[in-house]
Amino acid sequence: MHKVGVIGPTSSVEQIMNLGKEYELIINFIGYPYNDFKDTERIILENDQYVDLWLFSSQISYMIAKNTNIPVEKLVYIQHTESGIYKSLLHVAYDQGEFLNQISIDELTTSHLQQALQQVDFESKDIYVKTFDVNSTTKELIDFHVNLWGEQKTKGALTCFEAVYLGLKERGIPAYRISTTEMEIKQSLKILAEKTRTFYFKDTQIGVQILEIDNFEKLSEKAKSSYSLQYLEISLKKILLRFCERLDGSLLEKGNGRYIIFSSRGTIEREIGMLQDTVFQLTNESNTTVSVGIGYGETVHSAEVNAQRAIQLSKEKSEYGVIIVQEDGKMVHSVGEEDELSFSYRMNNKALLNKLKTAKISVKNYNKLYALVKRMSSSDFTIKDLANQLYWDESNARRIVVSLCDVDLAECIGEESYTSRGRPSKIYRLK
């Protein structure tokens, strides 16, 4: 059974969990209500280890979660439609005796409101709209409505936030909340249920791990006797068998320091820490480095092909650490490390492909750069940033960035200088 964390204001979380009882045989919902949407980041970082997926009652919380290191595929939010706006407008009309006259509204985007007004074909008067984003605050939104009310420009307020709604009520301002409808929640729960099924099939995919003792031929040459080499191989195999037992997998010895372990994707992903410990033990025992490549696939053959591709990359660049190649073309470098980087070596954007072809830049390098920039706290970067974090030499990093600028995929936006000597470094940004 998959565990799903539900994030939103208390009333929304209770409504979602109540409607979610329909799926209680396959999903265990865990409520994480907040008082302020800004609490979203803290909640998911503290509790991500306890859930398989996150369900957000609003898009704004989802946007905050996307800025963390939580994989996007673990995040689902309830899609809001015009029906939630219609419901709140009917409440206003019933209480005020007027429809869309002298009212303040806060919205993530004006598109839903515009679509709703176009469909009812009703002329509005004195509507004040404030859009918000992840940097907005509850106080800022309350002040927006309060100031208009104080200036006698409005007769009431519509808000998307429970905290703003309660704050306005305390001040005696007629307030109405644009809340999620049952139809919207049920539709999102169906999508969530499909996603949990996808997670199940992904979890049971075949996973192949290839571990290779680097420079094994030199170890053979340095061995004092064939017995000492065999003792070393026995020691290495003991370490691998303990790991294999933990995975409930099967070990295949290919010779010359190469070993293959067959298991499932879910088990491998849950035991990445154990894999790192195993690599550490193998390194100490053999007194040399160990390359690791992991492949996932629908069949043993496809998983093994991906693992072969991963081990080749791992051997070429030891800085990349453990590498995973997935069946969908996604690649993960430095698995389990702080600098873990996930990107794809495939692309289906024809216009972008043509630009990269003109710039003579590979899809893999562009996607790797894009993934790094997305992971960084700032979208701005220098040549030195890329060289340090992607293990590129500076001349190659400069060539790639300059070429991206030439085809209008990047731009120079400024300079920085840490000392009075030397030329300042240029600051770039992807378009």
Side-chain angles (χ1 to χ4, degrees), residues 178-295:
I178 303 174
S179 57
T180 313
T181 65
E182 283 195 9
M183 180 180 66
E184 291 167 342
I185 295 174
K186 286 180 177 179
Q187 184 60 35
S188 296
L189 288 174
K190 284 182 182 178
I191 294 171
L192 184 69
E194 286 300 318
K195 198 151 193 169
T196 58
R197 292 187 185 98
T198 302
F199 265 57
Y200 170 76
F201 289 118
K202 185 184 287 187
D203 199 57
T204 55
Q205 267 187 333
I206 294 165
V208 175
Q209 298 179 84
I210 300 178
L211 297 91
E212 186 164 320
I213 311 299
D214 298 329
N215 305 310
F216 191 80
E217 295 81 3
K218 292 182 180 180
L219 290 178
S220 301
E221 293 170 5
K222 291 179 181 179
K224 295 178 182 178
S225 68
S226 61
Y227 292 113
S228 61
L229 181 61
Q230 288 180 58
Y231 280 131
L232 173 61
E233 290 179 318
I234 290 170
S235 298
L236 296 175
K237 198 166 182 179
K238 279 184 179 178
I239 294 169
L240 287 163
L241 281 170
R242 282 195 291 269
F243 176 52
C244 200
E245 185 179 13
R246 181 76 169 260
L247 293 176
D248 193 24
S250 57
L251 176 66
L252 179 63
E253 190 174 357
K254 300 292 285 185
N256 293 323
R258 175 173 278 215
Y259 303 88
I260 300 180
I261 296 175
F262 298 90
S263 184
S264 70
R265 177 174 181 165
T267 307
I268 291 172
E269 291 182 343
R270 285 189 289 273
E271 298 294 345
I272 289 297
M274 180 69 175
L275 171 61
Q276 291 172 320
D277 291 342
T278 301
V279 170
F280 178 75
Q281 292 174 49
L282 293 172
T283 300
N284 281 346
E285 192 67 35
S286 62
N287 200 28
T288 185
T289 55
V290 178
S291 298
V292 183
I294 301 174

Side-chain angles (χ1 to χ4, degrees), residues 344-358:
S344 177
Y345 55 85
R346 298 176 186 169
M347 181 179 289
N348 55 12
N349 186 323
K350 201 167 185 179
L352 184 53
L353 276 170
N354 288 334
K355 286 189 175 185
L356 292 178
K357 191 174 181 180
T358 302

